[in-house]
Amino acid sequence: MNKVCADPSAALAGILKDGMLIMAGGFGLCGIPETLILAIRESGVRNLTVISNNAGVDGIGLGLLLETKQIRKMISSYVGENKLFAQQYLAGELEIEFNPQGTLAERIRAGGAGIPAFFTRTGAGTDVARGKEQRVFNGNTYVMETGLVADLAIVHAFKGDTEGNLVYRKTARNFNPVMATAGRITIAEVEHMVQPGEIDPDHIITPGIFVKRIIHVPNAIKHIEQRTVRKRA
Amino acid sequence: MPWTREQMAERAAKELRDGFYVNLGIGIPTLVANFIPTGMNVQLQSENGMLGTGPFPYEGEEDPDLINAGKQTVTELPTTSYFSSADSFAMVRGGHINLSVLGAMQVAQNGDLANWMIPGKMVKGMGGAMDLVAGVKKVVVVMEHSAKDEPKLLHKCKLPLTAAGVVDMVITDLGVFTIDKKNPNGMKLIELAPGVTADEIRAKTEADFAVALNPG
């Protein structure tokens, strides 16, 4: 079976449906699957629930799907960098479920690992715990959080082979490897596509079993959200 | 004279110990990195998936794949490692990080912390703050003592909580307080900024605290 697709629309063919749940990797604009996001925009699919740590910025990343009002609900930990998001939220066009970042990561990890729920201290005694089962372990209160599984996970990797084995680069790893495990279908876009054996098996971060389709994005544009530098001495 | 932002960060840096793994929040806490004593080995964790976070890059050497949790470009050190968001919060939630320094809107005398939302305003989200304060061994808050003459150190937080009973120390521009998480009346004023008096602080503070100034 061949996992390699010629282009993003071929990779998404037969998968996209209105109202589906999509996970999108990335932290801020770092390590986002932007080529696949663009292809989802072009497909016109609507009424999406998107799980992603952030919601892009205006005109970039998931901000592109907000422009076209394709997203109905976001599950995120922080959305502060997106003005359009605020407008749509305040107009009642967009729903948001805030999850603490670690809880979000663990819900995805658990979902991918077949664990329906777990207990965490995070959020105990706060609004986040409201309506959730709570239990005391060793004298501390823990909140039950549920695992997340998506209809589709889209991830960005630095390198991948035709088997779907993936390697990430620096902090562009972030949510990508966890989301790769938690999609019923996972599509990876990779900056460098290589043949099996070209990646040292000891260095593979996402084993190919988690990846259903893969596309090569040799000219992926990368964005810097906060350019901070120091002067040379 | 009240402490400046830099002086507050410098004071927070006195809580660092050799071998510590530390997470610094956005704003004044980030400045703590500038005051790590020479010869002390401190590794900075960025919850987006990096341990051993280096300084900002030289101009022209920015790498879009290399950012901290504030989405700022940073650099790699010889000690750096990268990991997923799930592993990152295993470090946080699992109690492997020694110290978290972060800002706050309100802190109560029992250690309750509010720093993520103001009802009626657009909420941006809690990011990793709830996980950090719930999981990290020692939590130090660095903040202005008052917000437009409204006290921020309170009997009870008025804003929605980030976490209950988690703050160990509060450093403001006027002084330093310790909080006893097991004793809701155990807050102590232990240091004063130069020229600031305990009476002045009492006038600007709602929380009850004992004065137990460190010698010197």
Side-chain angles (χ1 to χ4, degrees), chain A residues 78 126, chain B residues 25-26 29 100-107 112-118 123-133 139-143 152 157 159-163 166-167:
Chain A
Y78 188 83
T126 77
Chain B
I26 293 162
S100 171
V101 184
L102 74 174
M105 297 172 187
Q106 296 178 341
V107 177
D112 288 359
L113 168 71
N115 75 349
W116 82 281
M117 74 170 287
I118 300 173
V123 181
K124 295 179 170 185
M126 68 291 276
M130 283 195 179
D131 309 277
L132 280 159
V133 296
V139 174
V140 173
V141 164
V142 181
M143 66 179 192
K152 297 174 71 171
C157 290
L159 295 171
L161 293 187
T162 304
V166 293
V167 178

mmCIF file of all heavy atoms in Angstrom, chain A residues 78 126, chain B residues 25-26 29 100-107 112-118 123-133 139-143 152 157 159-163 166-167:
data_model
loop_
_atom_site.group_PDB
_atom_site.id
_atom_site.type_symbol
_atom_site.label_atom_id
_atom_site.label_comp_id
_atom_site.label_asym_id
_atom_site.label_seq_id
_atom_site.Cartn_x
_atom_site.Cartn_y
_atom_site.Cartn_z
ATOM 1 N N TYR A 78 -5.018 28.449 24.291
ATOM 2 C CA TYR A 78 -4.743 29.893 24.249
ATOM 3 C C TYR A 78 -5.002 30.417 22.838
ATOM 4 O O TYR A 78 -4.460 29.885 21.875
ATOM 5 C CB TYR A 78 -3.280 30.161 24.645
ATOM 6 C CG TYR A 78 -2.969 31.626 24.801
ATOM 7 C CD1 TYR A 78 -3.266 32.292 25.988
ATOM 8 C CD2 TYR A 78 -2.410 32.362 23.758
ATOM 9 C CE1 TYR A 78 -3.002 33.646 26.133
ATOM 10 C CE2 TYR A 78 -2.147 33.712 23.885
ATOM 11 C CZ TYR A 78 -2.438 34.348 25.083
ATOM 12 O OH TYR A 78 -2.184 35.687 25.228
ATOM 13 N N THR A 126 -11.079 24.971 40.348
ATOM 14 C CA THR A 126 -11.322 26.074 39.412
ATOM 15 C C THR A 126 -12.542 25.764 38.541
ATOM 16 O O THR A 126 -13.096 24.673 38.603
ATOM 17 C CB THR A 126 -10.121 26.304 38.466
ATOM 18 O OG1 THR A 126 -10.136 25.290 37.452
ATOM 19 C CG2 THR A 126 -8.798 26.249 39.214
ATOM 20 N N GLY B 25 7.500 32.311 33.316
ATOM 21 C CA GLY B 25 6.352 32.811 32.572
ATOM 22 C C GLY B 25 6.708 34.024 31.722
ATOM 23 O O GLY B 25 7.863 34.449 31.672
ATOM 24 N N ILE B 26 5.677 34.575 31.094
ATOM 25 C CA ILE B 26 5.864 35.708 30.183
ATOM 26 C C ILE B 26 5.877 37.011 30.991
ATOM 27 O O ILE B 26 5.201 37.111 32.015
ATOM 28 C CB ILE B 26 4.737 35.688 29.129
ATOM 29 C CG1 ILE B 26 4.925 34.446 28.233
ATOM 30 C CG2 ILE B 26 4.742 36.938 28.264
ATOM 31 C CD1 ILE B 26 3.694 34.068 27.445
ATOM 32 N N PRO B 29 8.758 37.621 34.726
ATOM 33 C CA PRO B 29 9.434 36.341 34.987
ATOM 34 C C PRO B 29 10.504 35.981 33.948
ATOM 35 O O PRO B 29 11.530 35.401 34.295
ATOM 36 C CB PRO B 29 8.287 35.332 34.990
ATOM 37 C CG PRO B 29 7.110 36.112 35.454
ATOM 38 C CD PRO B 29 7.287 37.483 34.843
ATOM 39 N N SER B 100 8.589 27.400 39.403
ATOM 40 C CA SER B 100 7.839 28.111 38.369
ATOM 41 C C SER B 100 7.712 29.566 38.816
ATOM 42 O O SER B 100 7.307 29.830 39.943
ATOM 43 C CB SER B 100 6.452 27.471 38.211
ATOM 44 O OG SER B 100 5.628 28.251 37.372
ATOM 45 N N VAL B 101 8.102 30.491 37.950
ATOM 46 C CA VAL B 101 7.968 31.920 38.250
ATOM 47 C C VAL B 101 6.963 32.482 37.260
ATOM 48 O O VAL B 101 7.139 32.332 36.042
ATOM 49 C CB VAL B 101 9.311 32.665 38.116
ATOM 50 C CG1 VAL B 101 9.152 34.132 38.536
ATOM 51 C CG2 VAL B 101 10.400 31.993 38.944
ATOM 52 N N LEU B 102 5.893 33.100 37.764
ATOM 53 C CA LEU B 102 4.894 33.617 36.829
ATOM 54 C C LEU B 102 4.192 34.844 37.385
ATOM 55 O O LEU B 102 4.343 35.174 38.563
ATOM 56 C CB LEU B 102 3.891 32.519 36.440
ATOM 57 C CG LEU B 102 2.834 32.060 37.428
ATOM 58 C CD1 LEU B 102 1.885 31.087 36.739
ATOM 59 C CD2 LEU B 102 3.452 31.368 38.624
ATOM 60 N N GLY B 103 3.479 35.534 36.521
ATOM 61 C CA GLY B 103 2.757 36.738 36.902
ATOM 62 C C GLY B 103 1.382 36.388 37.441
ATOM 63 O O GLY B 103 0.949 35.241 37.378
ATOM 64 N N ALA B 104 0.679 37.386 37.991
ATOM 65 C CA ALA B 104 -0.665 37.128 38.521
ATOM 66 C C ALA B 104 -1.489 38.397 38.485
ATOM 67 O O ALA B 104 -0.957 39.514 38.505
ATOM 68 C CB ALA B 104 -0.588 36.602 39.945
ATOM 69 N N MET B 105 -2.790 38.216 38.425
ATOM 70 C CA MET B 105 -3.718 39.339 38.606
ATOM 71 C C MET B 105 -4.050 39.482 40.091
ATOM 72 O O MET B 105 -4.107 40.582 40.615
ATOM 73 C CB MET B 105 -5.000 39.096 37.818
ATOM 74 C CG MET B 105 -4.795 39.003 36.308
ATOM 75 S SD MET B 105 -6.351 38.485 35.532
ATOM 76 C CE MET B 105 -5.829 38.255 33.845
ATOM 77 N N GLN B 106 -4.308 38.338 40.757
ATOM 78 C CA GLN B 106 -4.630 38.346 42.189
ATOM 79 C C GLN B 106 -4.032 37.106 42.856
ATOM 80 O O GLN B 106 -3.981 36.032 42.252
ATOM 81 C CB GLN B 106 -6.157 38.323 42.404
ATOM 82 C CG GLN B 106 -6.859 39.560 41.877
ATOM 83 C CD GLN B 106 -8.368 39.510 42.050
ATOM 84 O OE1 GLN B 106 -8.950 38.441 42.237
ATOM 85 N NE2 GLN B 106 -8.997 40.671 41.993
ATOM 86 N N VAL B 107 -3.597 37.285 44.105
ATOM 87 C CA VAL B 107 -3.156 36.165 44.934
ATOM 88 C C VAL B 107 -3.842 36.312 46.291
ATOM 89 O O VAL B 107 -3.927 37.416 46.825
ATOM 90 C CB VAL B 107 -1.624 36.153 45.119
ATOM 91 C CG1 VAL B 107 -1.207 35.015 46.051
ATOM 92 C CG2 VAL B 107 -0.907 36.020 43.773
ATOM 93 N N ASP B 112 -4.172 30.844 46.894
ATOM 94 C CA ASP B 112 -4.992 30.792 45.669
ATOM 95 C C ASP B 112 -4.450 31.799 44.655
ATOM 96 O O ASP B 112 -4.010 32.895 45.024
ATOM 97 C CB ASP B 112 -6.460 31.148 45.970
ATOM 98 C CG ASP B 112 -7.196 30.044 46.728
ATOM 99 O OD1 ASP B 112 -6.578 28.997 46.998
ATOM 100 O OD2 ASP B 112 -8.387 30.236 47.049
ATOM 101 N N LEU B 113 -4.524 31.421 43.389
ATOM 102 C CA LEU B 113 -3.960 32.244 42.318
ATOM 103 C C LEU B 113 -5.008 32.505 41.240
ATOM 104 O O LEU B 113 -5.714 31.587 40.816
ATOM 105 C CB LEU B 113 -2.764 31.512 41.688
ATOM 106 C CG LEU B 113 -2.203 32.072 40.381
ATOM 107 C CD1 LEU B 113 -1.481 33.391 40.647
ATOM 108 C CD2 LEU B 113 -1.246 31.078 39.740
ATOM 109 N N ALA B 114 -5.109 33.758 40.794
ATOM 110 C CA ALA B 114 -5.979 34.102 39.663
ATOM 111 C C ALA B 114 -5.123 34.862 38.654
ATOM 112 O O ALA B 114 -4.600 35.929 38.971
ATOM 113 C CB ALA B 114 -7.161 34.946 40.121
ATOM 114 N N ASN B 115 -4.951 34.304 37.497
ATOM 115 C CA ASN B 115 -4.142 35.008 36.489
ATOM 116 C C ASN B 115 -4.576 34.703 35.063
ATOM 117 O O ASN B 115 -3.803 34.902 34.137
ATOM 118 C CB ASN B 115 -2.645 34.737 36.682
ATOM 119 C CG ASN B 115 -2.223 33.355 36.215
ATOM 120 O OD1 ASN B 115 -3.055 32.512 35.929
ATOM 121 N ND2 ASN B 115 -0.923 33.140 36.131
ATOM 122 N N TRP B 116 -5.811 34.223 34.876
ATOM 123 C CA TRP B 116 -6.115 33.850 33.487
ATOM 124 C C TRP B 116 -7.364 34.473 32.893
ATOM 125 O O TRP B 116 -7.466 34.565 31.672
ATOM 126 C CB TRP B 116 -6.130 32.335 33.321
ATOM 127 C CG TRP B 116 -7.393 31.625 33.708
ATOM 128 C CD1 TRP B 116 -7.779 31.318 34.978
ATOM 129 C CD2 TRP B 116 -8.402 31.110 32.837
ATOM 130 N NE1 TRP B 116 -8.979 30.650 34.950
ATOM 131 C CE2 TRP B 116 -9.377 30.498 33.653
ATOM 132 C CE3 TRP B 116 -8.581 31.097 31.449
ATOM 133 C CZ2 TRP B 116 -10.514 29.884 33.130
ATOM 134 C CZ3 TRP B 116 -9.720 30.486 30.928
ATOM 135 C CH2 TRP B 116 -10.667 29.891 31.764
ATOM 136 N N MET B 117 -8.311 34.944 33.698
ATOM 137 C CA MET B 117 -9.480 35.532 33.040
ATOM 138 C C MET B 117 -10.160 36.600 33.896
ATOM 139 O O MET B 117 -10.124 36.566 35.113
ATOM 140 C CB MET B 117 -10.494 34.458 32.644
ATOM 141 C CG MET B 117 -11.284 33.864 33.792
ATOM 142 S SD MET B 117 -12.635 32.817 33.195
ATOM 143 C CE MET B 117 -13.776 34.035 32.575
ATOM 144 N N ILE B 118 -10.744 37.565 33.200
ATOM 145 C CA ILE B 118 -11.553 38.600 33.827
ATOM 146 C C ILE B 118 -12.952 38.460 33.240
ATOM 147 O O ILE B 118 -13.129 38.653 32.037
ATOM 148 C CB ILE B 118 -10.978 40.005 33.542
ATOM 149 C CG1 ILE B 118 -9.544 40.091 34.087
ATOM 150 C CG2 ILE B 118 -11.865 41.090 34.142
ATOM 151 C CD1 ILE B 118 -8.820 41.368 33.716
ATOM 152 N N VAL B 123 -11.673 36.305 26.825
ATOM 153 C CA VAL B 123 -10.729 35.414 27.496
ATOM 154 C C VAL B 123 -9.802 34.796 26.453
ATOM 155 O O VAL B 123 -10.262 34.277 25.444
ATOM 156 C CB VAL B 123 -11.492 34.312 28.253
ATOM 157 C CG1 VAL B 123 -10.518 33.399 28.967
ATOM 158 C CG2 VAL B 123 -12.466 34.929 29.244
ATOM 159 N N LYS B 124 -8.509 34.883 26.705
ATOM 160 C CA LYS B 124 -7.543 34.350 25.737
ATOM 161 C C LYS B 124 -7.186 32.897 26.001
ATOM 162 O O LYS B 124 -6.668 32.215 25.138
ATOM 163 C CB LYS B 124 -6.276 35.205 25.754
ATOM 164 C CG LYS B 124 -6.521 36.634 25.280
ATOM 165 C CD LYS B 124 -5.256 37.460 25.337
ATOM 166 C CE LYS B 124 -5.476 38.804 24.636
ATOM 167 N NZ LYS B 124 -4.216 39.574 24.580
ATOM 168 N N GLY B 125 -7.433 32.456 27.227
ATOM 169 C CA GLY B 125 -7.113 31.071 27.573
ATOM 170 C C GLY B 125 -6.035 31.002 28.628
ATOM 171 O O GLY B 125 -5.306 31.961 28.847
ATOM 172 N N MET B 126 -5.941 29.833 29.267
ATOM 173 C CA MET B 126 -5.001 29.685 30.385
ATOM 174 C C MET B 126 -3.659 29.167 29.928
ATOM 175 O O MET B 126 -2.716 29.159 30.720
ATOM 176 C CB MET B 126 -5.596 28.772 31.461
ATOM 177 C CG MET B 126 -5.751 27.308 31.081
ATOM 178 S SD MET B 126 -7.033 27.031 29.830
ATOM 179 C CE MET B 126 -8.502 26.962 30.852
ATOM 180 N N GLY B 127 -3.547 28.747 28.663
ATOM 181 C CA GLY B 127 -2.269 28.178 28.226
ATOM 182 C C GLY B 127 -1.827 27.086 29.182
ATOM 183 O O GLY B 127 -2.629 26.254 29.591
ATOM 184 N N GLY B 128 -0.558 27.110 29.577
ATOM 185 C CA GLY B 128 -0.033 26.076 30.469
ATOM 186 C C GLY B 128 -0.032 26.457 31.932
ATOM 187 O O GLY B 128 0.452 25.695 32.780
ATOM 188 N N ALA B 129 -0.589 27.637 32.261
ATOM 189 C CA ALA B 129 -0.460 28.150 33.628
ATOM 190 C C ALA B 129 -1.101 27.233 34.667
ATOM 191 O O ALA B 129 -0.528 26.992 35.736
ATOM 192 C CB ALA B 129 -1.073 29.547 33.721
ATOM 193 N N MET B 130 -2.282 26.679 34.366
ATOM 194 C CA MET B 130 -2.966 25.832 35.357
ATOM 195 C C MET B 130 -2.173 24.569 35.657
ATOM 196 O O MET B 130 -2.129 24.104 36.789
ATOM 197 C CB MET B 130 -4.360 25.447 34.846
ATOM 198 C CG MET B 130 -5.374 26.556 34.962
ATOM 199 S SD MET B 130 -7.041 25.878 34.745
ATOM 200 C CE MET B 130 -7.988 27.372 34.948
ATOM 201 N N ASP B 131 -1.560 24.000 34.615
ATOM 202 C CA ASP B 131 -0.755 22.789 34.795
ATOM 203 C C ASP B 131 0.509 23.104 35.584
ATOM 204 O O ASP B 131 0.905 22.347 36.476
ATOM 205 C CB ASP B 131 -0.358 22.214 33.432
ATOM 206 C CG ASP B 131 -1.542 22.039 32.511
ATOM 207 O OD1 ASP B 131 -2.222 21.017 32.622
ATOM 208 O OD2 ASP B 131 -1.795 22.938 31.683
ATOM 209 N N LEU B 132 1.139 24.226 35.242
ATOM 210 C CA LEU B 132 2.401 24.587 35.896
ATOM 211 C C LEU B 132 2.206 24.767 37.400
ATOM 212 O O LEU B 132 2.923 24.183 38.202
ATOM 213 C CB LEU B 132 2.968 25.868 35.276
ATOM 214 C CG LEU B 132 3.702 25.643 33.954
ATOM 215 C CD1 LEU B 132 3.792 26.929 33.150
ATOM 216 C CD2 LEU B 132 5.102 25.089 34.217
ATOM 217 N N VAL B 133 1.221 25.571 37.782
ATOM 218 C CA VAL B 133 1.085 25.856 39.209
ATOM 219 C C VAL B 133 0.561 24.650 39.984
ATOM 220 O O VAL B 133 0.832 24.511 41.179
ATOM 221 C CB VAL B 133 0.212 27.106 39.468
ATOM 222 C CG1 VAL B 133 0.891 28.342 38.900
ATOM 223 C CG2 VAL B 133 -1.184 26.949 38.912
ATOM 224 N N VAL B 139 6.163 27.570 43.607
ATOM 225 C CA VAL B 139 5.554 28.567 42.734
ATOM 226 C C VAL B 139 5.812 29.965 43.300
ATOM 227 O O VAL B 139 5.415 30.274 44.427
ATOM 228 C CB VAL B 139 4.033 28.323 42.586
ATOM 229 C CG1 VAL B 139 3.380 29.453 41.787
ATOM 230 C CG2 VAL B 139 3.774 26.974 41.929
ATOM 231 N N VAL B 140 6.502 30.780 42.505
ATOM 232 C CA VAL B 140 6.802 32.157 42.900
ATOM 233 C C VAL B 140 6.059 33.100 41.961
ATOM 234 O O VAL B 140 6.214 33.013 40.733
ATOM 235 C CB VAL B 140 8.320 32.434 42.840
ATOM 236 C CG1 VAL B 140 8.614 33.917 43.086
ATOM 237 C CG2 VAL B 140 9.055 31.575 43.863
ATOM 238 N N VAL B 141 5.249 33.988 42.534
ATOM 239 C CA VAL B 141 4.536 34.980 41.735
ATOM 240 C C VAL B 141 5.310 36.295 41.779
ATOM 241 O O VAL B 141 5.753 36.731 42.849
ATOM 242 C CB VAL B 141 3.100 35.191 42.269
ATOM 243 C CG1 VAL B 141 2.485 36.480 41.720
ATOM 244 C CG2 VAL B 141 2.234 33.999 41.920
ATOM 245 N N VAL B 142 5.490 36.909 40.617
ATOM 246 C CA VAL B 142 6.108 38.235 40.530
ATOM 247 C C VAL B 142 5.071 39.162 39.910
ATOM 248 O O VAL B 142 4.590 38.895 38.803
ATOM 249 C CB VAL B 142 7.382 38.204 39.660
ATOM 250 C CG1 VAL B 142 8.008 39.583 39.600
ATOM 251 C CG2 VAL B 142 8.380 37.198 40.205
ATOM 252 N N MET B 143 4.687 40.204 40.635
ATOM 253 C CA MET B 143 3.640 41.103 40.114
ATOM 254 C C MET B 143 3.739 42.490 40.763
ATOM 255 O O MET B 143 4.360 42.653 41.812
ATOM 256 C CB MET B 143 2.252 40.503 40.388
ATOM 257 C CG MET B 143 1.898 40.415 41.866
ATOM 258 S SD MET B 143 0.232 39.740 42.123
ATOM 259 C CE MET B 143 -0.003 40.120 43.868
ATOM 260 N N LYS B 152 -3.987 43.665 45.057
ATOM 261 C CA LYS B 152 -3.956 42.387 44.339
ATOM 262 C C LYS B 152 -3.690 41.223 45.289
ATOM 263 O O LYS B 152 -3.899 40.069 44.918
ATOM 264 C CB LYS B 152 -2.870 42.420 43.260
ATOM 265 C CG LYS B 152 -3.129 43.483 42.179
ATOM 266 C CD LYS B 152 -1.958 43.599 41.210
ATOM 267 C CE LYS B 152 -1.857 42.391 40.313
ATOM 268 N NZ LYS B 152 -0.859 42.579 39.230
ATOM 269 N N CYS B 157 -9.453 35.528 46.395
ATOM 270 C CA CYS B 157 -9.433 36.050 45.020
ATOM 271 C C CYS B 157 -10.864 36.335 44.563
ATOM 272 O O CYS B 157 -11.779 35.548 44.819
ATOM 273 C CB CYS B 157 -8.787 35.045 44.073
ATOM 274 S SG CYS B 157 -7.015 34.859 44.332
ATOM 275 N N LEU B 159 -11.386 37.137 41.201
ATOM 276 C CA LEU B 159 -11.400 36.623 39.828
ATOM 277 C C LEU B 159 -11.418 35.093 39.848
ATOM 278 O O LEU B 159 -11.002 34.480 40.831
ATOM 279 C CB LEU B 159 -10.153 37.107 39.080
ATOM 280 C CG LEU B 159 -10.063 38.620 38.873
ATOM 281 C CD1 LEU B 159 -8.685 38.994 38.325
ATOM 282 C CD2 LEU B 159 -11.153 39.091 37.916
ATOM 283 N N PRO B 160 -11.863 34.476 38.743
ATOM 284 C CA PRO B 160 -11.851 33.007 38.670
ATOM 285 C C PRO B 160 -10.424 32.467 38.881
ATOM 286 O O PRO B 160 -9.467 33.032 38.361
ATOM 287 C CB PRO B 160 -12.335 32.732 37.243
ATOM 288 C CG PRO B 160 -13.134 33.937 36.865
ATOM 289 C CD PRO B 160 -12.466 35.090 37.542
ATOM 290 N N LEU B 161 -10.329 31.384 39.635
ATOM 291 C CA LEU B 161 -9.013 30.868 40.006
ATOM 292 C C LEU B 161 -8.302 30.160 38.851
ATOM 293 O O LEU B 161 -8.932 29.523 38.007
ATOM 294 C CB LEU B 161 -9.148 29.867 41.155
ATOM 295 C CG LEU B 161 -9.609 30.398 42.511
ATOM 296 C CD1 LEU B 161 -9.508 29.285 43.552
ATOM 297 C CD2 LEU B 161 -8.785 31.607 42.940
ATOM 298 N N THR B 162 -6.988 30.272 38.881
ATOM 299 C CA THR B 162 -6.119 29.440 38.038
ATOM 300 C C THR B 162 -5.827 28.142 38.776
ATOM 301 O O THR B 162 -5.705 27.077 38.165
ATOM 302 C CB THR B 162 -4.816 30.198 37.739
ATOM 303 O OG1 THR B 162 -5.152 31.445 37.131
ATOM 304 C CG2 THR B 162 -3.904 29.400 36.828
ATOM 305 N N ALA B 163 -5.671 28.247 40.092
ATOM 306 C CA ALA B 163 -5.479 27.071 40.941
ATOM 307 C C ALA B 163 -5.696 27.484 42.384
ATOM 308 O O ALA B 163 -5.532 28.654 42.737
ATOM 309 C CB ALA B 163 -4.082 26.479 40.757
ATOM 310 N N VAL B 166 -1.707 27.226 45.784
ATOM 311 C CA VAL B 166 -0.490 26.783 45.096
ATOM 312 C C VAL B 166 0.693 27.739 45.239
ATOM 313 O O VAL B 166 1.834 27.341 45.015
ATOM 314 C CB VAL B 166 -0.740 26.565 43.585
ATOM 315 C CG1 VAL B 166 -1.683 25.385 43.358
ATOM 316 C CG2 VAL B 166 -1.268 27.817 42.904
ATOM 317 N N VAL B 167 0.454 28.996 45.611
ATOM 318 C CA VAL B 167 1.539 29.990 45.595
ATOM 319 C C VAL B 167 2.359 29.889 46.891
ATOM 320 O O VAL B 167 1.813 29.850 47.983
ATOM 321 C CB VAL B 167 0.967 31.418 45.444
ATOM 322 C CG1 VAL B 167 2.086 32.456 45.482
ATOM 323 C CG2 VAL B 167 0.166 31.535 44.157
#
